[in-house]
Amino acid sequence: MIFALARKLKKKGVLAINKRNADFVLKYNPRRLYPLVDDKLLTKRLAQENGIGVPELYAVVEVEGQVRHLPDALEGHPDFVVKPAHGSGGEGILVIAGRMHDKFRKSDGLIINYDELNHHIFNILSGLYSLGGQPDRAIIEYRVEFDPIFEAISYLGVPDVRIIVFLGVPVMSMVRLPTRMSDGKANLHQGALGAGIDIANGKTLSAVWGNEIVSEHPDTGRSVNGVAIPHWDDLLGLAARCYDLTGLGYQGVDIVLDRNKGPLILELNARPGLNIQIANNSGLLPRLELVEQHHADLTSIGRRIEFAKNHFAAA
């Protein structure tokens, strides 16, 4: 039975984690470049220097004593997001959706005061949410107002679009939709729903929630199939530019769609997960091998996107 399953996965071109690490991550992602994507503050500043849109930075807290400056830094910002610079998997992200006098309302409706906000920041500084548990910095930034297209197929949090980019070519994509189970977060392992996207036209395909293939959002009951992602060509262009931005050959680019500011880069990942293949009901391996064969001819962002649309359209 195990061998039959292995043959079935191989036939679909599914990329397994060991092969991903050996043939793509280690081969195309120089270790010295990892800090550019593992440090969200560094990624944000690099993107800004290159004219790529990101959520506006309100403040950075590096040591506990700096929290006394927060009231001034947050003046005029009724909502915002607090996150660790070296976090992963959505851990440690605190979303403030509004204020009530000197208190803050979280996205789930709970009210916290300044002491509780500071306590969360201190946990970030201690490394509670960082990769490897190392001391960290807290980033406080603009809270994205997601595009209205997602209102019927999302629960509380902000959906994001993940695009896998190989040697500058967008090869596979999905939109990650928060659910009640994921507590409004867009991480699939926490219970968010992932819907594959046709690279050619930006419309959603099949969707996966946990280990199930689904066609409706579990909380809203609305169909998640056939949804046209706005600004699709802009998203492909942003993702392709991230190859030139970081030099990483294999990376995941997470983009959010703000209703007022348009597409914004949320973060980059040098080791993106592989469940995007389930959401697309398609394997990554044939696409990566095809890009390897033609990479030398794809000398501009426009040609890379054209190549992706011509070769990776849904069947």
Side-chain angles (χ1 to χ4, degrees), residues 11 24 41 56-57 72 93 172 200 204 215 226 236 250 263 271 285 296 302:
K11 186 176 180 181
F24 299 99
L41 185 58
E56 180 184 354
L57 181 65
D72 290 335
I93 295 178
M172 192 170 282
T204 56
S215 59
L236 292 179
Y250 183 83
R271 301 162 291 260
L285 190 56

Side-chain angles (χ1 to χ4, degrees), residues 8 11 64 151-152 188 239 300:
K8 184 178 179 180
K11 186 176 180 181
E64 292 188 0
E151 286 180 351
L188 299 197
S300 69

Side-chain angles (χ1 to χ4, degrees), residues 121-302:
I121 291 173
F122 295 158
N123 282 338
I124 290 176
L125 299 183
S126 72
L128 183 62
Y129 309 111
S130 72
L131 293 167
Q134 298 299 311
D136 204 355
R137 292 173 291 180
I139 298 172
I140 303 175
E141 66 181 20
Y142 169 76
R143 176 182 174 236
V144 172
E145 298 181 39
F146 63 77
D147 191 283
I149 192 76
F150 297 120
E151 286 180 351
I153 53 172
S154 184
Y155 178 81
L156 284 183
V158 177
D160 66 25
V161 174
R162 165 160 290 184
I163 301 178
I164 302 294
V165 178
F166 181 52
L167 299 175
V169 179
V171 294
M172 192 170 282
S173 179
M174 69 175 169
V175 58
R176 303 186 300 182
L177 303 167
T179 66
R180 183 188 297 271
M181 178 182 288
S182 73
D183 195 26
K185 295 178 180 177
N187 300 92
L188 299 197
H189 70 277
Q190 293 178 322
L193 181 151
I197 301 176
D198 188 336
I199 285 284
N201 58 28
K203 290 187 177 180
T204 56
L205 305 166
S206 57
V208 60
W209 185 44
N211 294 319
E212 296 181 51
I213 301 298
V214 299
S215 59
E216 298 175 346
H217 192 281
D219 301 310
T220 69
R222 300 292 291 272
S223 175
V224 296
N225 299 337
V227 177
I229 305 297
H231 310 289
W232 181 241
D233 283 351
D234 293 337
L235 267 68
L236 292 179
L238 271 178
R241 287 181 65 188
C242 288
Y243 171 54
D244 306 294
L245 188 73
T246 66
L248 291 168
Y250 183 83
Q251 61 184 308
V253 179
D254 295 343
I255 304 173
V256 289
L257 278 173
D258 187 274
R259 67 174 64 204
N260 300 311
K261 301 175 184 295
L264 302 172
I265 294 288
L266 195 59
E267 61 181 80
L268 307 177
N269 193 318
R271 301 162 291 260
L274 296 169
N275 46 21
I276 192 172
Q277 299 174 108
I278 304 174
N280 281 270
N281 193 28
S282 181
L284 269 168
L285 190 56
R287 302 187 185 197
L288 301 179
E289 291 174 340
L290 191 64
V291 172
E292 276 186 319
Q293 294 170 19
H294 296 274
H295 170 59
D297 299 326
L298 305 176
T299 54
S300 69
I301 290 176

Side-chain angles (χ1 to χ4, degrees), residues 34-162:
Y34 277 37
L36 297 179
V37 297
D38 286 346
D39 185 336
K40 294 178 178 60
L41 185 58
L42 196 56
T43 303
K44 183 186 289 289
R45 287 172 173 163
L46 183 65
Q48 288 174 320
E49 290 170 3
N50 287 272
I52 294 177
V54 293
E56 180 184 354
L57 181 65
Y58 293 158
V60 178
V61 180
E62 299 179 309
V63 296
E64 292 188 0
Q66 290 177 329
V67 297
R68 68 177 182 273
H69 301 303
L70 284 183
D72 290 335
L74 297 176
E75 181 70 29
H77 301 305
D79 54 350
F80 53 87
V81 175
V82 183
K83 61 171 63 172
H86 289 86
S88 66
E91 298 295 333
I93 295 178
L94 173 64
V95 179
I96 299 298
R99 293 196 187 196
M100 295 179 64
H101 307 293
D102 60 344
K103 295 182 174 58
F104 304 97
R105 179 169 51 82
K106 295 168 56 179
S107 57
D108 60 5
L110 294 177
I111 303 297
I112 63 172
N113 57 31
Y114 251 113
D115 288 340
E116 291 167 302
L117 173 65
N118 290 343
H119 180 71
H120 183 79
I121 291 173
F122 295 158
N123 282 338
I124 290 176
L125 299 183
S126 72
L128 183 62
Y129 309 111
S130 72
L131 293 167
Q134 298 299 311
D136 204 355
R137 292 173 291 180
I139 298 172
I140 303 175
E141 66 181 20
Y142 169 76
R143 176 182 174 236
V144 172
E145 298 181 39
F146 63 77
D147 191 283
I149 192 76
F150 297 120
E151 286 180 351
I153 53 172
S154 184
Y155 178 81
L156 284 183
V158 177
D160 66 25
V161 174
R162 165 160 290 184

